[in-house]
Amino acid sequence: MLMFVGLGLYDLGDISLKGLECVRNADTVYLEAYTSRLMGTDVAEMEAFFEKEIRVLSREDVEQNPRDIIERAARGRVAFLTGGDPMVSTTHADLRMRAAAAGVATSIIHASSISSAVCGLSGLQNYRFGKSCSVPFPAKGWFPTAPVETIAANLDLNLHTLVFLDIQMDRYMRIPEAIAIIEEMAAKRGIEPPALYVGIARAGSESPVVAAGSGAKLKETQFGPPLHVLVVPADLHPMEREYLEIFAGL
């Protein structure tokens, strides 16, 4: 049995009771640590809390070499831990399908996700979001502009855009850096950069930071430690605008 267990947004307090029971009863516990991370805890604390050894997985372990995971799940109970909700990432859906193809039973224990948390923190209505996108760290000779094209397409449809920010090993993209990259992408594509952003830091913690405003304003805002995420809003409904005025300083 391969059990996908969501850990929630920020720390060990976010896991459900059902998820906790599943992990403590597992024969093997894996932690996927590349799509998202719980910034309010670490692997050592997780191992003490769950009373289990945790095997940390890289992207290659999951996407290219998942044989060990599937073979262990064929012999016993395997808990596959992820930040947020397990099935928001397509790489996890792929692993579940591979397990099913190998005749391994699977289950999902859902948890809070940034995809829903941004709506509560920003007041932006969930049914008004279009396709999401991710802003990667640029590399030498590589500067994709697809994210700003997604944002522009959503704005044309009057839809909000959830923008995920890159995570690499011990490097986390921050909101000011992401806005600067989006503006550079827009300039390269001859697209008008977004006029309004909502920046959110440490969703799920006791002290999240939420700020709305222009790119210039948010690049000067002190959001504090990661994880950070961005939203590019479309035209605001009066209730959305009032919510942002009250809770995000618009």
Side-chain angles (χ1 to χ4, degrees), residues 19-216:
L20 177 59
E21 181 181 10
C22 175
V23 177
R24 288 184 172 168
N25 290 332
D27 300 309
T28 306
V29 180
Y30 292 101
L31 172 66
E32 182 271 279
Y34 60 87
T35 58
S36 184
R37 297 181 190 173
L38 269 62
M39 302 306 294
T41 188
D42 57 29
V43 174
E45 287 184 355
M46 289 184 189
E47 290 183 324
F49 182 71
F50 294 132
E51 300 174 346
K52 292 285 183 179
E53 177 187 357
I54 294 177
R55 302 163 186 253
V56 180
L57 299 169
S58 67
R59 182 180 294 273
E60 290 73 21
D61 294 328
V62 178
E63 296 183 355
Q64 299 176 21
N65 303 301
R67 179 180 298 177
D68 183 64
I69 302 169
I70 293 172
E71 288 180 351
R72 287 178 181 271
R75 298 194 303 267
R77 295 173 60 84
V78 171
F80 182 91
L81 310 183
T82 71
D85 183 89
M87 288 301 148
V88 170
S89 174
T90 55
T91 184
H92 305 151
D94 176 73
L95 177 60
R96 190 182 187 205
M97 290 189 290
R98 291 190 190 208
V104 174
T106 63
S107 65
I108 304 169
I109 299 178
H110 295 283
S112 54
S113 166
I114 192 62
S115 297
S116 56
V118 292
C119 299
L121 289 169
S122 68
L124 298 174
Q125 297 162 357
N126 68 321
Y127 60 84
R128 295 196 59 216
F129 278 78
K131 180 182 177 181
S132 60
C133 63
S134 300
V135 175
F137 286 111
K140 185 177 181 180
W142 183 72
F143 191 83
T145 59
V148 79
E149 294 165 17
T150 296
I151 292 168
N154 283 340
L155 290 175
D156 285 343
L157 296 171
N158 202 23
L159 296 174
H160 308 317
T161 308
L162 175 58
V163 183
F164 298 103
L165 308 189
D166 201 1
I167 298 173
Q168 293 182 0
M169 296 298 288
D170 295 322
R171 185 185 181 196
Y172 305 92
M173 186 178 290
R174 311 295 180 103
I175 288 164
E177 183 176 12
I179 291 173
I181 291 172
I182 289 171
E183 290 175 342
E184 186 175 352
M185 289 178 181
K188 286 182 176 293
R189 294 295 298 165
I191 297 172
E192 190 71 23
L196 178 64
Y197 297 89
V198 179
I200 298 173
R202 296 176 306 286
S205 73
E206 293 182 359
S207 55
V209 174
V210 185
S214 66

